[in-house]
Amino acid sequence: MVREEVLQKLKSENVKYLRLQFVDLLGVSKNVEVPENQFTKALDGEIMFDGSSIYGFSRIEESDMLLKPDLGSLKIFPWIENGHKTASLICDIYTTENQPYKGCPRLALKRIVKEAKDLGFDMYVGPEPEFYIFKKDSSGNIIMDNHDNAGYFDLSTLDNGDFLRKEITIALQEMGFEIEASHHECGPGQHEIDFKYDDAIKTADNIALFTFVVRKIAKDNGLHATFMPKPVHGIAGSGMHLNQSLFKNGKNAFFDDKKEYQLSELAKNYIAGILRHAKGITAVTNPLVNSYKRLLPGFEAPINIAWSLKNRSPLIRIPGKRGESTRIELRVPDPAANPYLAIAVSLKAGLEGIKQNLTPPEMVKGNIFEMSDSEKEKHKIEQLPSNLFEAISELKKDDILKDALGSHIFKHYCNAKLMEWNEYSSKVHQWELDCYINHY
């Protein structure tokens, strides 16, 4: 869309407010909302904000940043508030000198997408975000009791969240999302809504919008939606599998009907690249201290650096469809990840596998969760980092991933995550009191 088309669309839909949205380094969605009389200025990329107030963006003495909206990202929210509608545009961050800002996650992904394009490839990504719904008390505080006792794919007679998923799905469809599936997940109060794959940048934009819409509609219904990876001990955590494929000249480059499993050599190169850099990737795809409480055996979350066809215990699975649907499913990411950075490091690692003509290890057919240590050693299966500190340590050693993020994002991201780890490590937690205070 061009500027005049956007203005006409906003007018015809009775939109009175426009949200200029972006995602910060830590994956938190931010926005500046402007009224109708500022629409032209907003579309021209002249709206400024204080970058020094956003972690990792800029120093106090150079704090002014510009929001440059992607006009093609226009979404109109379907709800009406105070008699009018609100729209959204996803933005890139620029300096006041009108230069792309090196700390903008969306621009970091654009840079790696261009690298793929220069090699002749277009990346497509299909996410599978999971989330939990919790009740609130009369004061609006979150009650950590789940709002139902349903399980995977249960019917609405047990699934109290069925109505909420329908409301979310309808809203997303009115915004232009193509919803493919909606269902109850394994944990009580856990849900998944899948939307159709798209190119890498649009998919990252859609993930950011999706999480906002889910949380808003839950809040409007007196509930709380969380994308925290492991909100409750002892039940399944929430993941966000990223289905990835590369296309070349309009054809799926991962498909080759003459090869074993109908997987092209290029697909195997891509897999090998991700496996080689998996430990560092985890620091970005699983960015919280809490993320590593999901990555445990027994809950289908992968902890093993391996790949397979139907087996869900390795890091990478190859779903059954072939032809244009041939893809890899990276199973480790969780929905707390910054979608732009998570996709950027995945793509960069895969491209490195292609450039270096890497060969993946032998495919694993057995259930890795049931293998002994000696069996894993025989198959050369390593494990992912067991906590955020280990993951950041691996990221800091990986020059390829550093290049994917750029030096600015790399530095500030690592610093933020080490601060998070140090704060967590220094706190006395309830578990410690329960175990030790009466015995020592």
Side-chain angles (χ1 to χ4, degrees), residues 77-125:
F77 297 118
W79 48 80
I80 296 176
E81 297 172 319
N82 299 319
H84 64 261
K85 289 184 178 181
T86 301
S88 163
L89 282 169
I90 305 294
C91 298
D92 294 324
I93 310 301
Y94 275 65
T95 68
T96 50
E97 288 75 33
N98 214 31
Q99 295 298 310
Y101 182 56
K102 58 190 175 183
C104 175
R106 193 171 190 263
L107 289 175
L109 175 57
K110 281 188 171 182
R111 180 167 46 82
I112 309 304
V113 166
K114 183 182 183 302
E115 184 178 324
K117 193 77 173 176
D118 290 343
L119 294 171
F121 301 115
D122 295 304
M123 184 199 203
Y124 289 90
V125 183

Side-chain angles (χ1 to χ4, degrees), residues 207-318:
I207 292 170
L209 280 170
F210 173 84
T211 55
F212 167 74
V213 170
V214 169
R215 292 173 67 101
K216 189 225 185 296
I217 291 178
K219 181 180 178 182
D220 289 347
N221 283 276
L223 299 166
H224 179 77
T226 180
F227 292 90
M228 181 180 176
K230 187 79 168 184
V232 181
H233 168 72
I235 61 176
S238 292
M240 184 175 68
H241 304 159
L242 293 176
N243 293 272
Q244 306 175 29
S245 58
L246 295 182
F247 276 62
K248 189 168 189 175
N249 299 323
K251 297 293 184 181
N252 191 322
F254 283 0
F255 174 67
D256 187 337
D257 61 359
K258 296 179 177 60
K259 296 291 185 180
E260 187 180 21
Y261 311 119
Q262 297 184 311
L263 284 178
S264 68
E265 289 303 313
L266 185 132
K268 292 179 181 179
N269 297 153
Y270 191 92
I271 290 168
I274 290 183
L275 294 179
R276 174 171 288 190
H277 297 279
K279 292 181 181 180
I281 286 173
T282 309
V284 179
T285 57
N286 304 80
L288 308 183
V289 167
N290 181 258
S291 296
Y292 297 84
K293 298 183 178 181
R294 165 183 168 254
L295 299 180
L296 298 170
F299 293 101
E300 287 197 3
I303 59 172
N304 304 290
I305 302 174
W307 70 292
S308 180
L309 287 182
K310 299 178 181 179
N311 191 345
R312 282 175 161 78
S313 59
L315 181 76
I316 292 175
R317 185 177 77 93
I318 311 299

Side-chain angles (χ1 to χ4, degrees), residues 182-202:
S182 167
H183 62 86
H184 199 284
E185 257 298 334
C186 297
Q190 188 184 31
H191 307 274
E192 178 176 319
I193 298 174
D194 301 328
F195 47 91
K196 188 177 180 180
Y197 71 89
D198 212 322
D199 70 61
I201 295 165
K202 287 182 181 177

Side-chain angles (χ1 to χ4, degrees), residues 60-78:
I60 193 73
E61 66 269 24
E62 49 187 35
S63 59
D64 288 337
M65 309 253 82
L66 289 170
L67 292 165
K68 296 282 189 179
D70 180 341
L71 301 188
S73 71
L74 179 68
K75 301 286 186 186
I76 298 175
F77 297 118

